[in-house]
Each structure stands twice: as C-alpha cells, then as structure tokens.
Amino acid sequence: MTNTIERTAPPLSYTGPSEPSSWTTYLEQVDRVTPYLKGLARWVETLKHPKRAMIVDIPIEMDDGRVRHFEGFRVQHNLSRGPGKGGVRFHPHVTLQETMALAAWMTIKTAAMDLPFGGAKGGVRVNPQSLTQNELEKLTRRYTSEISIIIGPQKDIPAPDVNTNAQIMAWMMDTYSMHAGFTSSGVVTGKPVHLGGSLGRVKATGRGVFVTGREAAGRLGMDITGARVALQGFGNVGSAAAELFASAGAKVIAIQDQWGSLIDERGIDVRSLASATSGIAGIGGSPNLNDAFWDVPCDILILAALESQMTAERARRTRAKLVLEGANGPTLPDADDILADRDILVVPDVICNAGGVTVSYFEWVQDFSSFFWSEDEINARLDKLMVESLRKIWACADRNKISLRTGTYVIACERILAARQERGLYP
Ligand code: GLU
C-alpha cells in the first residue's frame, strides 16, 4: 500500500461538479484517512457511497385549508456494523447532499464509539417555526409514514437533531406503532421518559462535549476552573455544555446564536439565558457583534451550531487554544489545516458530540430489555465510554502523528471496513 490517495469524484447525481458541500468535506476526510488503512483501503470506496437514500414527498393540509408539499429524506449511509442510527432534522436548508454527509458522519461516530450501529440521517426541508403545533404534528406523522418502510428497531432508528425533540419522537413512535399494530418503543430514541425514553438523553450530547473537553484540556495542561469559553450555538447541545462548563468553574465570556452575539469578559450567566425566550437578543446580545465573536480571546471555543462555520478566515482569527465540535461538520478541511498549523487542538465532531448517540444506544438497549437505569448510572456509563474511546483515538493519533480527527477516522474506518470485509459481497 503506497501513500498515494486515489480521489474519486462524488457522483454527479449527488453534488454539482464544483459545489462545496458537507458531502465534499466528508469525502476529503475519507481521502485523508485512506493512507493509514493498509489492506482495508481496498474497501474504502464503500464509505463514499451511501447504501440507500430515500426522497419523500410530504403533503399536508395547513390550518388555513391550503395543501402544501414538503421534501423529506432518509439516508442510510452504511449498515455493515448494525442498524442505521441518526437523527432527523427540520430546517429550511436541508438537502439530500447535506443529509448524506450527516448520515456518513453518523457511520464514523457510531464506529468511533464502538456502538453496534451503522449511520443514517433524515431531514425535512421546512422552517418548523413557521408551522403551528397541529401542522408540525401532521408533517412529522406523514414523514414517518413515508419512511416507515425503511426504519424499524432492527433496521434504522431515528432520533432528535436540529429543531426536533422528544415530542416529535413521540409522534414518530406512535405513527410507526399504529402501522405495526403494536407499541414499538425501540423504533426511535430521544423519546419522552414515560414512553421508554432514557434519563439523561436530553443533555447527553452537551455532556459528551464537556467530557471530551475536560479530557482534552487535561492533555493541554489547561485548568477548566477559570478557563474562558466562547460558544457558538445555544440550542440543546450548546446550552447543556455551557451549563456543565460553568458548573466546573469555567467562565462563558461569549455566546453567539441565530439572533446575535453577546460578549462579556466578566462572564455570562448561562442559566438565566436558558430561560430567555428570544435567545441572546433577549439578554442584550446584538447581530453587530457577530463578526467580533471570532476575535474574542478565549481558551475554549465550542462550535455547537451548524456545518461549515469554521472557515479558513475564522481559523486564522480565532484565539482559542482548544476547539470542541458540538455540531456536526462545523470545520472546513482547509480551516482544519490552519488550526493544526497554529497548534490549536480540535476535538472532532465524530467523537466530541457522540454523547447523544451513545445515550440513544443506552435507550435502545433499555427498550429491548424493558429495564431502565438511573440517571447517575447513565451519566457514569457515558463518561466512562467516552473517556475510553477518546484515549484509544489519542493513542492512534500519537502513534501515526496525525490529527485527532484523522485518528478518529482511522479507528472508526478500521472497524467499519473490517466488518465489510468479513461479511463479504453478497448477492
Ligand atoms: N442527532 C444526534 C447526532 O448527530 C444524535 C443521533 C442519535 O441519537 O441517533 O449525533
């Protein structure tokens, strides 16, 4: 095996020839890992082709009597190691390509954590804030009904993602169950607790960001107490991570959300923000500070918004020493190189935000056994699994003198492609 990388152009039906997208970011990440895969590199093309992608039309009758059509997707990127696993996103920018990338990152993430799952993702192109509760329920149920032929507790298990939550999972579980003719709680995770949901699931992704951040800070000799934290994104992931960092004595000095940015050297009270209905704008944040956010002197930068936020230009500007990827795909490949050249440590999404899917796994196991664990037990198991996974990844990165991201891909791709090889091609 030589170190030459064979680049495969993404199939044109998925992406335009020169259009930058999360899928092309993902393909580049796969190219970067290929030289380290030895004999398994033979199978690497597997990772560049989603196994199955479904596009669905979702017509719903709006409250004013009009019929509107929405476009939805479910992509199963790889199922070599087990059923598909991954969230469902409701957002106006959802596309097939984005869903493909998000599904692929789930394949890497579940393998990096050694969970017995493949990777999948779904989404509907919609601004859920523009829908009434009744319309949102109809949209969710019709989407579930359309994808019900490819999901199931042993086939593919959706979960919450951007703009979806436990209520939406309850509607998905109910719709699937009504078609099946019995209650199937294991078909989705992230459900309400009394419907078979797991304690600790809501804050699990943020908790995982904190755990991996704590470990990485330890490696850098950085004390969390007094560390200055800048945070992009104050949704489910960002808010939970911010609270845990604040409880550990860190000072959250800058927050950016979709409405603006707030910068305060004295520290922001993240608990008061959690109850502010209009986000950052409600406690004095302003869109005028959005650019200045990237220059704030800080120790830790948490990216917990959407994809492609860390551009090359921002990577040159950031003054953080440690970047934690709470979102999926927030860093572009050229920005990754700049951060590495500047000795800024990046804990990549595929391990940093894996806390959510790990507790989803716990939920799925609890549903199957109908035996439920305490929140302390869940948090302790999550902490242990994440620390063990991160240590293995770090050892691999040190051994090969590669970034933590490529190290995570080496560990994950070895597991996926070994399964691929052992199963063989059939039919
Ligand atoms: N949406 C989350 C993620 O991107 C969780 C997925 C899951 O729990 O299946 O990791």
Side-chain angles (χ1 to χ4, degrees):
M1 175 68 210
T2 66
N3 271 10
T4 44
I5 296 171
E6 250 186 41
R7 274 174 198 278
T8 316
L12 292 187
S13 53
Y14 302 151
T15 53
S18 60
E19 191 182 346
S21 71
S22 296
W23 179 246
T24 47
T25 297
Y26 163 74
L27 291 177
E28 181 144 357
Q29 289 163 348
V30 174
D31 283 341
R32 287 177 180 209
V33 75
T34 306
Y36 302 95
L37 295 177
K38 306 192 182 84
L40 290 172
R42 168 164 190 253
W43 295 99
V44 82
E45 278 290 305
T46 296
L47 298 170
K48 298 184 175 185
H49 301 271
K51 177 180 177 61
R52 191 175 284 139
M54 190 173 186
I55 304 176
V56 296
D57 173 40
I58 308 161
I60 60 165
E61 188 178 0
M62 308 296 281
D63 288 356
D64 64 8
R66 281 178 309 145
V67 176
R68 279 187 66 191
H69 289 251
F70 297 88
E71 193 169 37
F73 310 97
R74 184 74 189 172
V75 176
Q76 295 171 346
H77 173 261
N78 188 282
L79 307 180
S80 291
R81 301 179 59 261
K85 188 81 196 82
V88 172
R89 169 175 299 204
F90 288 174
H91 194 276
H93 297 156
V94 165
T95 62
L96 176 59
Q97 281 171 50
E98 185 204 41
T99 313
M100 281 162 46
L102 291 165
W105 284 323
M106 289 309 301
T107 303
I108 304 294
K109 202 185 298 185
T110 54
M113 288 299 299
D114 213 2
L115 308 177
F117 292 131
K121 201 86 174 194
V124 178
R125 191 179 311 126
V126 60
N127 174 9
Q129 273 94 37
S130 71
L131 302 183
T132 64
Q133 184 80 347
N134 178 42
E135 292 162 348
L136 187 63
E137 179 174 348
K138 283 185 184 169
L139 178 97
T140 304
R141 288 187 182 277
R142 182 63 187 245
Y143 169 68
T144 309
S145 170
E146 293 296 338
I147 64 166
S148 64
I149 50 176
I150 61 166
I151 63 169
Q154 272 143 337
K155 288 159 85 178
D156 178 3
I157 306 117
D161 197 74
V162 174
N163 291 332
T164 54
N165 56 22
Q167 174 61 74
I168 288 173
M169 294 307 116
W171 290 328
M172 290 188 76
M173 183 275 243
D174 181 68
T175 307
Y176 182 87
S177 298
M178 295 314 284
H179 287 297
F182 56 90
T183 296
S184 175
S185 45
V187 65
V188 290
T189 57
K191 299 177 293 292
V193 169
H194 43 271
L195 291 183
S198 178
L199 294 167
R201 174 63 186 86
V202 174
K203 297 204 167 172
T205 312
R207 182 171 291 278
V209 172
F210 172 73
V211 170
T212 54
R214 183 194 68 204
E215 294 295 300
R219 287 270 301 212
L220 294 177
M222 181 197 290
D223 199 350
I224 295 277
T225 313
R228 293 162 305 166
V229 175
L231 169 67
Q232 191 203 29
F234 203 77
N236 173 265
V237 179
S239 58
E243 272 186 42
L244 286 164
F245 272 102
S247 307
K251 203 155 74 156
V252 180
I253 54 152
I255 304 184
Q256 178 173 94
D257 71 6
Q258 56 185 311
W259 293 284
S261 301
L262 184 65
I263 299 170
D264 188 342
E265 271 299 318
R266 292 164 303 172
I268 301 164
D269 178 7
V270 290
R271 281 174 208 91
S272 72
L273 179 57
S275 52
T277 44
S278 52
I280 275 292
I283 58 158
S286 152
N288 299 335
L289 290 173
N290 278 351
D291 194 48
F293 172 85
W294 298 99
D295 300 314
V296 167
C298 60
D299 302 296
I300 302 173
L301 171 63
I302 304 176
L303 299 172
L306 291 170
E307 301 95 273
S308 311
Q309 294 300 301
M310 181 57 84
T311 58
E313 192 253 337
R314 290 171 178 173
R316 277 186 213 103
R317 283 166 61 188
T318 184
R319 293 161 79 180
K321 301 176 188 81
L322 172 62
V323 175
L324 303 178
E325 296 189 338
N328 291 307
T331 303
L332 295 171
D334 52 352
D336 231 357
D337 293 339
I338 293 166
L339 293 171
D341 286 346
R342 293 187 59 210
D343 263 337
I344 298 170
L345 178 61
V346 179
V347 183
D349 49 3
V350 280
I351 182 71
C352 188
N353 72 36
V357 72
T358 301
V359 176
S360 276
Y361 166 59
F362 297 161
E363 180 172 332
W364 183 73
V365 169
Q366 291 171 85
D367 286 339
F368 267 116
S369 56
S370 296
F371 179 74
F372 293 87
W373 315 342
S374 72
E375 188 158 358
D376 283 349
E377 189 174 354
I378 285 155
N379 290 344
R381 282 180 191 255
L382 173 65
D383 203 303
K384 185 165 175 283
L385 262 189
M386 292 205 77
V387 169
E388 281 170 6
S389 303
L390 188 61
R391 292 201 177 148
K392 278 187 199 146
I393 289 165
W394 224 307
C396 171
D398 286 348
R399 209 167 42 243
N400 291 295
K401 298 188 176 40
I402 50 180
S403 70
L404 216 44
R405 187 182 317 277
T406 305
T408 311
Y409 273 67
V410 171
I411 298 265
C413 294
E414 279 175 358
R415 288 179 181 148
I416 302 158
L417 300 181
R420 180 87 200 76
Q421 178 165 278
E422 284 153 7
R423 288 180 66 159
L425 289 175
Y426 175 84

